[in-house]
Amino acid sequence: RTIGDRIGEAKASGNLGNTLKILGQFDEAVVCCQRHLDISREQGDKVGEARALYNIGNVYHAKGKHLSWNTAQDPGYLPQEVKDTLHKASEYYERNLSLVKELGDRAAQGRAYGNLGNTQYLLGNFSEAIAFHKERLAIAKEFGDKAAERRAYSNLGNAHIFLGRFDISAEYYRKTLQLSRQLRDQAVEAQACYSLGNTCTLLQDYEKAIEYHLRHLVIAQELGDR
């Protein structure tokens, strides 16, 4: 501010916002991210504007998740305050998405689709969540981003469960399992086995369910995860 560097001030405000979000000070975080947004617009900095929109979406997303932890309910059955917060997150992600499309930034589009999928899932809009996660999946494959691909499969599996499409969920979870082994991520492998065990139970394939739950147990023991 002293040297009149507006872009520097915008970036610093954005960083402050992100830090306050991590500290759980969501309302202060929004104020800082909004300053980042305002200055970026004033300076005609489209990349900064897109980043600020994404960051504000993240703050509302984190706030919504934080508020919903106290309610411990299935997606979709949320208090009004939580719904309003998640709708705001979605709104900012949508605005970010249209701007990064304009800028031709595919990687940023992937991140926006993933987060839109997650907010719609929490709101109980499972069909919309699936559409967004499929877009996320396509971009992850385009970039050869195995970790993002794995997350997309997992999220697609979760959303299909709530639509009662257990066989499709099982397919996505198997892909999650396959990728977690490729990535040598044992914690995620255990999670995938757990999801597959539950899905096989819903499909009444009890032999398979036992197999997956035993695998989950073995990994949990190996990791010393009580």
Side-chain angles (χ1 to χ4, degrees), residues 65-139:
K65 281 201 284 196
H66 178 77
L67 291 170
S68 68
W69 284 336
N70 310 324
T71 63
Q73 283 168 318
D74 277 342
Y77 299 94
L78 298 167
Q80 197 54 47
E81 188 194 0
V82 180
K83 281 185 182 171
D84 292 345
T85 307
L86 290 170
H87 278 302
K88 273 185 184 161
S90 236
E91 204 179 293
Y92 279 100
Y93 287 140
E94 291 272 16
R95 285 161 68 185
N96 163 264
L97 180 61
S98 74
L99 190 49
V100 293
K101 276 182 177 172
E102 198 183 300
L103 294 167
D105 185 342
R106 287 292 280 166
Q109 286 169 46
R111 288 192 290 276
Y113 280 125
N115 282 323
L116 277 163
N118 291 335
T119 47
Q120 291 305 311
Y121 173 81
L122 290 172
L123 285 164
N125 303 329
F126 303 113
S127 298
E128 288 90 334
I130 286 165
F132 286 129
H133 284 308
K134 280 185 172 169
E135 294 284 358
R136 176 67 191 112
L137 179 62
I139 295 173

Side-chain angles (χ1 to χ4, degrees), residues 18-26:
N18 290 339
T19 310
L20 288 163
K21 177 196 78 179
I22 293 164
L23 291 169
Q25 296 173 31
F26 303 114

Side-chain angles (χ1 to χ4, degrees), residues 159-170:
H160 277 95
I161 287 280
F162 282 96
L163 293 176
R165 298 175 189 155
F166 307 135
D167 48 345
I168 299 174
S169 286

